[in-house]
Amino acid sequence: MANFTAAEIKRLRELTGAGMMDCKKALEESDGVVDRAVEILRVKGAKDVGKRVQRTASNGLVTARLEGTREGILLEVNCETDFVAKTDGFRGLADGLVQTIADRKPAEVDALLAEQFVAPSSPPAPVRTVQEVVEATGASLGEKIEVRRFVRFDDGYVASYLHKSSPDLPPTVGVLVELDSERPDLAKDLAQHIAAMAPRYIRREDVPAETVEGERRIAEEAAREEGRPEQALPKIVEGRVNGFHKDFTLLEQAFVKDNKKTVKQLLEGAGVTVKRFARFKVGQA
């Protein structure tokens, strides 16, 4: 019998949205390996597993800053409760972090934590590293605070969009998009589309081969589980893999403001190319 704990059953439920007994059976079948249990539930048709699997438990905010139209920053900062997320102290920390990223231009989070913190207020604050300021803010607010991730784009026309899931909380979804030409209205539409539809890649060529193979394997196992005829499997598998691309590849998604055309058709009509994008949602990978 597989060895797994109640905590692992709970984690699998949070990841997939499946029922407790289904999660228990999947863990038994997978010998307690959670990632394999997720695949088993997908094969058996657990609702929304593919979209929920990236969830993590956290609160906080997403914020953005544009420097003109050629440079933009997107930042996620986490805390333990939404109560702290809406405090002035937590929001002020996020403002200072964005200012520090803009001024110091660190490459990644560890480098940012080692930088001297740039306070957005005056008079000048004592000289401290970002790590020290984060720890001090956490101590004053009584919660663990984490600088989760950030991106900085500076190689094209940059636009941002922030979305609030609740009017009394700071934004929890943020998008930064970079185009090869200056099209403010189109950039805004694309940023809102990305926020709503959560693509993971720009084009299907960007999807890692191992991800495609994983989707292909799950599609085949699911079709067999459904009792589909052997000779029909290749076509069914191909159709489901194409469905994955339509769900998660930006250019193949139906445009959210006009679902009769794809994002690719929208961009081709405008003569514009998306160079890159980032979408952060608090609590998701």
Side-chain angles (χ1 to χ4, degrees), residues 206-218:
D206 299 331
V207 184
E210 59 269 25
T211 299
V212 177
E213 285 309 306
E215 291 301 317
R216 197 178 299 281
R217 182 183 67 253
I218 291 167

Side-chain angles (χ1 to χ4, degrees), residues 60-64 74-77 162 170-175 280-282:
L61 62 78
V62 178
T63 189
L74 188 68
L75 167 74
E76 178 183 351
V77 189
L162 296 174
T172 54
V173 178
V175 172
F280 293 169
K281 182 174 182 179
V282 171

Side-chain angles (χ1 to χ4, degrees), residues 89-90 93 117 128-145:
F90 187 74
L93 172 66
F117 184 75
R128 293 184 291 175
T129 65
V130 170
Q131 181 71 61
E132 290 169 338
V133 173
V134 169
E135 290 175 355
T137 304
S140 69
L141 295 175
E143 288 195 4
K144 178 182 178 182
I145 293 176

Side-chain angles (χ1 to χ4, degrees), residues 162-238:
L162 296 174
H163 176 75
K164 289 187 174 186
S165 56
S166 173
D168 63 337
L169 293 175
T172 54
V173 178
V175 172
L176 202 65
V177 62
E178 186 176 68
L179 308 181
D180 68 343
S181 54
E182 188 165 338
R183 293 292 301 272
D185 291 344
L186 180 59
K188 179 181 177 182
D189 284 346
L190 281 172
Q192 291 177 340
H193 171 96
I194 292 165
M197 302 306 293
R200 300 178 193 169
Y201 315 96
I202 294 178
R203 56 190 64 82
R204 67 169 59 199
E205 292 80 10
D206 299 331
V207 184
E210 59 269 25
T211 299
V212 177
E213 285 309 306
E215 291 301 317
R216 197 178 299 281
R217 182 183 67 253
I218 291 167
E220 183 173 340
E221 291 181 12
R224 292 184 191 279
E225 183 83 10
E226 294 162 6
R228 300 299 183 94
E230 191 71 25
Q231 64 271 22
L233 290 183
K235 188 173 182 180
I236 292 170
V237 169
E238 225 33 60

Side-chain angles (χ1 to χ4, degrees), residues 63-65 73-75 93-103:
T63 189
R65 172 172 170 159
I73 296 164
L74 188 68
L75 167 74
L93 172 66
D95 290 342
L97 290 168
V98 169
Q99 182 67 55
T100 303
I101 295 166
D103 286 7

